[in-house]
């Protein structure tokens, strides 16, 4: 009897546990930004405001920075000994790296990569090496070929030296597996010296053992507490009214959260738009044509689903509809062509 | 010139040609950064030569360790190839079933070390078996097209490398290369036919070579002739990261042509051989005739490296216990990678020579003597400043103290003596481990352990140290005598042991306790006396020679002991750094205003810290408006006493600003 009692008690406990946890809705308040007394600022006023306000603890921050600046020559030594340097810690490291560049690298060839720049790709990094550093005219079939070419040139010509500074190696656009692989292989060349900064808390997860050994990192903590002015100037926020077109990174971000079919639909539209990019009078794809194409690709099964999908796109400002002279709805992607090309290339890589 | 633009992310800066001067060498940077200018060049040279020595030594060790494995592989290759040549029954059978001879190399999870292994493997194979070795990596072969391209390119390059010493050859090969790349371009559509062409080329190529050979009879007879048709070895470096489809296609295609082309595959496997079967379906894996090879475990590898590099007298720089602990911990708990261990050691060397002005004396004894004699006054001052030297001075008589502190010459003599002493200590470092074993005898009386200890002692002076202290040899003979005594003792002990074996654990414990007590009460037996004698000897020995390095005078010169530096640079924790900076800004910004007690939210902290703490207080989801308001409450409390007059509108505007800086 005691056993059954115990059992009862146990099951009660279990039930209570699940009851307590199943009903636990996360309590959030229902207040929205509309209720704020102050209206949302646009970017210009925000920048003005920021310039007016002074930085707190400027003296201490300056002292910290001086501490890090005393390490510069040591960094150079270690770069030359085959290590690469990665900086981490709270605060923007942009100014520190810039100081490093202006004080030590003036007399040597160097490449600065702004990883936080939303349309940056690893291809643009490779391009600037081949075109501007190596003075090579010509195109490559793939980034891998390009990398091979660069590696060959650097191995052949021992007088070539290149310092690469990457602000935010862990940015949205560079954190992909392929980009990191290519950058790691670049950095493993003995005459390419890489110094990079990371900010994301999970940035070290980008590198597996193989990449880490290619990078051959030496870690340096540089907590600067300086504001991320440059880095966040491309970042969107609900509190700031946005203007301008979609950047590649936000485009990728939204598309990644969609179903495969929805991505296929968007791809179709993007491809069509690129095909017609040379045609100045191209009004966009009419809804009927688009529907036909989607059906042929087995992406939608009815008029309704496509319309629902398009509504979603419209909510995310991924497409724009325009009514033509003949009253037909035309669909357009309000993104410039180069971004769209980059997007399609990225998509191809992912697939 | 600044790197800011709204349309571009990459900026190349080139110095103007007239401004471009001879770029600084590594030594210059070394001099700039080091604290003492006087002899940084010599220091840097010492550092570099030491690192070079260490590097070549470790590579040698690695090659030695791999030798066994490579020999096995080569014999496997020969075996499978001779079967092909002689068309034995086995081979014809294989040809019918289209099996490809395959060696599966199980290498362990330390991917970073594989690079070196494979490089030396392909070199080894090229030298001893076949000129046709291709090394494929998964990152270069996303599809079968790329794989074939890469494979062909490598094979042809191989041919060029090995065969080309005559110009005719070279022309022919390059001509062929162009044609083949054209055929490869033309025959993209049919991989089968493409492969066939390439195989034809590979097969035809040695024939062509042979023709030139007969035409121009020279001393060069390529190995291809010797082998009739040497096997083509394809190494897949990281089998796990290849996509299944590529591997499958390659295996199927090459199995079609195994009759004409003697192909041997080598898979590098990091996990376990099971991966072959999980990666390839049965229909494909049945085309392979797999033989397993096991490489040396990384732990053994590391222990040989530690023994031969860190614990010998050959290299003057030693690591203190803590540093070694850090390196070994990184190895055992993180990556199992010997390369990373060596990298850590390299960092130690650099740091040591960079930061320590006295590291100039860290070299072989004879050279150190010379350098001691040429020490400058400043350097002598540096020596006097060392904490270990202070301790030494304090223990001396006063006259000597004065002499040591003022006259450089007497200091130099001292120093030399100390250096000698130091040398002797680390010569016997291997002893430490063995003597620790001996010390354990105090607690447990495992005779075997002592015997083992004796063995180590016997082996170590014989092999490595000739100029070991005389006394030790005396002890050794005593040990040998003792051994005989032990054996007698053993016999008497054995009945007790038998008794112990029969009883269970509890009883065992009890009998042991009894034994202990009885021993204590008993008068010392002959064995006991001897044992105590030995332990005393060892103890005195240990006391005299093996004091921990830190207590030695001038240990700073040869011991590197900045473990924290090493940990910081090799095994950093960005998360912790971010958390402390956000949670406790005082640890970075040494401002009195920031000093606060743990939990509360200080309103004087930087904005980002306040926002972070408020965010920690919330649950999983955060309402932006509430967060904003809480933030403004905290900040206005900060501004309240100072700036009451400011209009609330103005304040609100400014207060919103930190928020756009937080990620969405």
């Amino acid at each position: 009897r005691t056993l059954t009692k115990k059992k009862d008690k146990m099951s009660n406990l279990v039930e209570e546990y699940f009851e307590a946890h199943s009903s636990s809705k996360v309590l959030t308040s229902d207040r929205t930004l509309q209720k704020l007394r102050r209206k949302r600022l646009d970017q210009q006023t925000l920048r003005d405001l920021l310039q007016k306000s002074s930085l707190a603890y400027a003296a201490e921050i300056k002292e910290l920075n001086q501490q890090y600046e005393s390490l510069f020559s040591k960094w150079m030594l270690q770069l030359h000994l085959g290590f690469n340097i990665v900086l981490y810690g709270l605060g923007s490291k942009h100014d520190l790296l810039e100081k490093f560049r202006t004080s030590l690298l003036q007399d040597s060839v160097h490449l600065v990569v702004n990883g936080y720049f939303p349309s940056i790709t690893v291809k643009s990094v490779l391009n600037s090496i081949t075109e501007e550093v190596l003075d090579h005219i010509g195109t490559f079939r793939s980034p891998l070929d390009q990398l091979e070419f660069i590696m060959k040139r650097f191995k052949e010509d021992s007088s070539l030296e290149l310092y690469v500074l990457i602000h935010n190696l862990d940015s949205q656009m560079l954190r992909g597996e392929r980009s990191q692989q290519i950058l790691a292989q670049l950095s493993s060349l003995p005459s390419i010296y890489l110094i990079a900064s990371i900010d994301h808390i999970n940035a070290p997860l980008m590198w597996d053992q193989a990449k880490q050994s290619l990078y051959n990192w030496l870690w340096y903590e540089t907590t600067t507490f300086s504001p991320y002015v440059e880095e966040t100037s491309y970042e969107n926020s609900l509190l700031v009214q946005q203007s301008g077109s979609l950047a590649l990174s936000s485009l990728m971000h939204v598309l990644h959260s969609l179903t495969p079919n929805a991505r296929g639909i968007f791809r179709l539209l993007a491809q069509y738009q690129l095909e017609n990019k040379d045609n100045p009078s191209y009004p966009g794809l009419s809804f009927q044509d688009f529907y036909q194409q989607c059906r042929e690709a087995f992406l939608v099964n009815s008029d309704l689903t496509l319309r629902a999908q398009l509504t979603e796109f419209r909510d995310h400002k991924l497409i724009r509809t325009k009514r033509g002279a003949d009253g037909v709805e035309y669909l357009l992607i309000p993104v410039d062509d180069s971004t769209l090309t980059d997007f399609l290339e990225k998509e191809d890589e992912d697939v | 010139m600044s790197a800011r633009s709204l349309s571009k992310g990459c900026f190349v800066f080139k110095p103007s040609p007239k401004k471009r001067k001879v770029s600084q060498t590594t030594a210059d940077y070394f001099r700039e950064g080091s604290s003492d200018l006087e002899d940084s060049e010599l220091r840097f040279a010492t550092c570099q030569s030491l690192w070079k020595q260490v590097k070549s030594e470790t590579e040698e060790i690695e090659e030695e360790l791999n030798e066994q494995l490579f020999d096995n592989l080569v014999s496997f290759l020969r075996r499978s190839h001779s079967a092909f040549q002689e068309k034995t029954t086995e081979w014809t059978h294989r040809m019918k079933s289209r099996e490809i001879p395959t060696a599966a190399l199980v290498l362990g999870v330390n991917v970073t070390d594989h690079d070196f292994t494979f490089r030396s493997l392909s070199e080894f194979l090229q030298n001893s078996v076949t000129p046709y070795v291709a090394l494929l990596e998964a990152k270069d072969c996303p599809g079968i097209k790329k794989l074939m391209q890469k494979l062909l390119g490598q094979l042809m390059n191989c041919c060029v490398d090995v065969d080309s010493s005559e110009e005719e050859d070279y022309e022919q090969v390059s001509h062929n290369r162009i044609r083949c790349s054209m055929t490869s371009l033309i025959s993209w559509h049919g991989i089968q036919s493409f492969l066939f062409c390439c195989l034809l080329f590979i097969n035809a190529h040695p024939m062509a070579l042979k023709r030139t050979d007969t035409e121009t009879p020279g001393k060069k007879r390529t190995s291809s002739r010797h082998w009739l048709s040497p096997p083509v070895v394809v190494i897949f470096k990281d089998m796990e990261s290849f996509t299944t489809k590529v591997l499958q296609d390659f295996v199927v295609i090459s199995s079609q042509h195994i009759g004409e082309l003697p192909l041997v595959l080598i898979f590098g496997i990091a996990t376990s051989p099971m991966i072959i079967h999980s990666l390839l379906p049965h229909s494909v894996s049945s085309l392979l005739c797999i033989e397993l090879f096991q490489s040396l475990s990384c732990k053994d590898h590391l222990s040989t490296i530690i023994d031969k590099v860190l614990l010998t007298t050959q290299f003057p720089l030693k690591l203190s216990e803590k540093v070694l602990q850090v390196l070994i911990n990184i190895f055992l708990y993180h990556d199992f990678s010997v390369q990373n261990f060596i990298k850590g050691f390299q960092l130690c060397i650099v740091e040591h020579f960079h930061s320590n002005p006295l590291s100039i004396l860290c070299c072989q004894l004879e050279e150190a003597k010379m350098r001691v004699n040429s020490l400058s006054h400043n350097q002598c001052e540096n020596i006097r400043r060392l904490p270990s030297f202070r301790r030494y001075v304090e223990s001396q008589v006063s006259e000597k103290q004065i002499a040591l502190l003022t006259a450089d010459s007497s200091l130099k003599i001292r120093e030399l003596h100390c250096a000698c002493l130091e040398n002797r200590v680390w010569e016997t470092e291997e002893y430490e481990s063995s003597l620790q074993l001996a010390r354990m005898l105090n607690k447990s009386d495992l005779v075997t352990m002592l015997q083992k200890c004796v063995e180590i002692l016997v082996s170590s002076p014989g092999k490595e140290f000739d100029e070991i202290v005389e006394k030790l040899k005396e002890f050794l003979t005593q040990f040998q005598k003792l051994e005989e005594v032990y054996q007698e003792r053993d016999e008497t002990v054995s009945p007790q042991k038998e008794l112990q074996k029969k009883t269970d654990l509890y009883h065992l414990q009890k009998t042991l306790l009894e034994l202990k007590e009885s021993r204590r009460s008993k008068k010392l037996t002959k064995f006991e006396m001897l044992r105590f004698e030995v332990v005393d000897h060892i103890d005195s020995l240990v006391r005299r020679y093996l004091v921990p390095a830190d207590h030695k005078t001038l240990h700073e010169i040869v011991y590197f002991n900045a473990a924290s530096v090493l940990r910081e640079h090799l095994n950093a924790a960005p998360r912790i750094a971010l958390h402390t900076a956000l949670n406790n800004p005082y640890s970075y910004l040494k401002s009195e205003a920031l000093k606060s007690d743990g939990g509360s939210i200080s309103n004087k902290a930087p904005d980002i810290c306040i926002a972070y703490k408020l965010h920690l207080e919330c649950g999983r989801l955060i309402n932006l408006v509430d967060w904003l308001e809480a933030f403004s409450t905290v900040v206005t409390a900060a501004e309240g006493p100072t700036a009451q007059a400011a209009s609330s509108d103005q304040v609100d505007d400014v207060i919103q600003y930190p928020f756009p800086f937080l990620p969405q």
Side-chain angles (χ1 to χ4, degrees), chain A residues 26 28-33 36-38 41 46 49-50 52-53 57 60-61 64 68 73-74 76-78 80-81 83 88-90 94-95 98 101 106-114 117 120 124-125 128 132-133 135 141-142 144-145 148 161 163 181 185 199 201-202 204 209-210 213 216-221 223 225 228-230 232 234 236-240, chain B residues 1-15 19-21 23-24 26 29-30 32-33 44 48 109-112 139-140 146 149-150 334-335 343 346-347 350-351 354 568-570 572-575 577-578 581-582 585 588-591 593-594 604-606 608-609 620-621 623-626 628-629 648-650 652-654 656-657 659-661 664:
Chain A
V26 183
T28 52
S29 72
D30 52 354
R31 298 169 6 124
T32 59
L33 283 174
L36 269 186
R37 201 153 37 84
R38 293 290 308 171
L41 309 166
L46 177 79
L49 273 176
L50 282 177
K52 253 189 269 167
S53 67
Y57 302 106
E60 283 87 354
I61 289 174
L64 270 178
Y68 303 134
S73 65
K74 197 169 167 189
M76 283 302 260
L77 170 70
Q78 283 166 340
H80 276 266
L81 288 173
F83 295 103
Y88 65 95
L90 181 69
H94 191 273
D95 293 342
E98 196 65 10
R101 185 179 81 79
Q106 279 308 327
D107 296 331
S108 37
V109 186
H110 55 278
L111 167 71
V112 179
V113 179
N114 292 340
F117 186 68
I120 198 159
S124 52
V125 178
S128 47
E132 295 183 55
V133 179
D135 294 321
R141 251 173 300 157
S142 71
L144 279 179
D145 287 341
E148 216 164 282
E161 274 188 335
Y163 294 86
Q181 177 70 46
Q185 272 176 282
D199 278 302
I201 193 162
N202 286 330
Q209 271 204 10
S213 77
N216 204 11
W217 287 131
L218 278 191
W219 297 76
Y220 275 90
E221 184 181 339
T223 303
F225 277 99
Y228 291 101
V229 181
E230 282 286 311
T232 48
Y234 297 101
N236 295 336
S237 168
L238 287 176
L239 287 171
V240 182
Chain B
M1 284 223 296
S2 83
R4 270 168 215 189
S5 161
L6 278 172
S7 59
K8 222 169 95 170
C10 299
F11 306 87
V12 175
F13 296 92
K14 279 181 172 176
K19 211 177 163 189
R20 191 187 304 216
K21 57 178 181 191
S23 65
Q24 280 180 305
T26 323
Y29 294 119
F30 187 89
E32 265 172 43
F44 182 68
Q48 287 295 80
V109 290
N110 44 340
V111 200
T112 36
K139 60 172 189 270
D140 298 327
K146 274 268 172 209
Q149 222 177 347
K150 195 92 194 166
H334 293 275
D335 53 10
K343 173 190 163 192
Q346 186 194 2
L347 183 65
V350 174
E351 274 288 319
H354 189 255
E568 207 178 293
H569 293 332
L570 287 181
R575 271 167 174 271
L578 281 181
L582 286 169
Y588 292 95
L589 307 169
K590 304 281 180 206
S591 164
L594 287 172
K604 291 190 194 69
I608 192 167
C609 301
R620 230 155 22 93
L621 301 175
N623 182 309
L624 205 52
V625 179
D626 291 347
L628 198 55
E629 224 144 74
S648 62
D649 262 12
Q650 182 75 42
D652 257 12
D653 263 359
V654 179
Q656 276 188 3
Y657 84 81
F659 276 79
F661 288 92
Q664 254 182 333

Side-chain angles (χ1 to χ4, degrees), chain B residues 304-521:
Chain B
T304 11
I305 288 219
I306 289 182
D307 276 355
K308 294 204 170 156
V309 175
L310 298 183
L311 297 185
T312 49
T313 57
Q314 197 187 345
F315 299 112
L317 180 69
K318 301 287 143 188
L319 301 183
S320 77
E321 183 218 343
K322 264 189 197 157
V323 173
L324 195 60
Q325 200 68 41
V326 168
L327 285 179
I328 291 178
N329 276 352
I330 292 176
F331 177 82
L332 286 180
Y333 294 113
H334 293 275
D335 53 10
F336 288 117
S337 154
V338 180
Q339 288 301 324
N340 280 356
F341 185 88
I342 294 169
K343 173 190 163 192
F345 187 53
Q346 186 194 2
L347 183 65
C348 289
I349 294 175
V350 174
E351 274 288 319
H352 181 74
F353 281 94
H354 189 255
S355 61
N356 192 345
L358 283 174
S359 56
I360 184 174
L361 295 172
C362 184
C363 52
Q364 298 301 338
L365 191 58
E366 296 81 40
E367 229 180 313
K369 273 182 199 167
M370 273 162 49
R371 290 185 191 177
V372 163
N373 288 331
S374 59
L375 274 187
S376 67
H377 179 72
N378 264 351
Q379 287 284 34
C380 291
E381 280 300 311
N382 278 331
I383 292 175
R384 289 192 189 107
R385 247 175 263 138
L386 291 179
S388 67
F389 187 74
R390 295 226 159 265
R391 232 176 294 134
Y392 175 75
V393 170
E394 275 155 28
S395 64
Q396 297 293 318
V397 281
S398 57
E399 282 165 40
K400 228 175 183 179
Q401 271 189 21
I402 294 164
L404 279 172
L405 287 177
T406 51
D408 286 350
S409 61
S410 79
L411 175 76
K412 279 176 188 171
I413 297 162
R414 274 291 129 215
E415 219 249 285
L416 188 62
H417 170 68
C418 294
C420 296
L421 225 158
E422 191 89 298
N423 279 352
R424 211 164 283 153
V425 173
W426 36 265
E427 269 167 10
T428 54
E429 192 155 312
E430 212 165 59
Y431 260 81
E432 198 150 18
S433 57
S434 60
L435 289 180
Q436 249 162 11
L437 281 178
R439 243 189 275 178
M440 271 167 54
L441 278 173
N442 293 339
K443 292 163 201 150
S444 68
D445 53 344
L446 287 174
V447 180
T448 48
M449 204 175 264
L450 208 131
Q451 278 169 343
K452 207 166 116 198
C453 155
V454 171
E455 267 165 38
I456 295 173
L457 283 175
V458 169
S459 66
S460 53
K463 262 189 230 155
E464 286 170 41
F465 315 117
D466 302 329
E467 74 271 41
I468 202 123
V469 194
E470 285 282 314
K471 247 185 190 166
L472 281 176
K473 276 182 186 160
E474 268 174 49
F475 287 133
L476 273 183
T477 50
Q478 278 193 7
F479 268 126
Q480 269 150 4
K481 275 180 214 153
L482 276 177
E483 216 164 336
E484 291 154 25
V485 185
Y486 291 152
Q487 272 150 13
E488 286 166 30
R489 180 67 189 167
D490 261 349
E491 282 155 29
T492 58
V493 166
S494 54
Q496 284 178 345
K497 274 188 178 162
E498 265 172 53
L499 181 99
Q500 285 166 6
K501 269 175 201 160
K502 277 169 197 161
T503 52
D504 62 357
L505 199 69
Y506 174 73
H507 286 286
L508 182 89
Q509 216 170 11
K510 213 169 156 189
T511 43
L512 274 178
L513 274 177
E514 275 166 16
L515 267 176
K516 224 183 204 172
E517 269 168 30
S518 67
R519 196 160 290 164
R520 214 170 277 162
S521 57

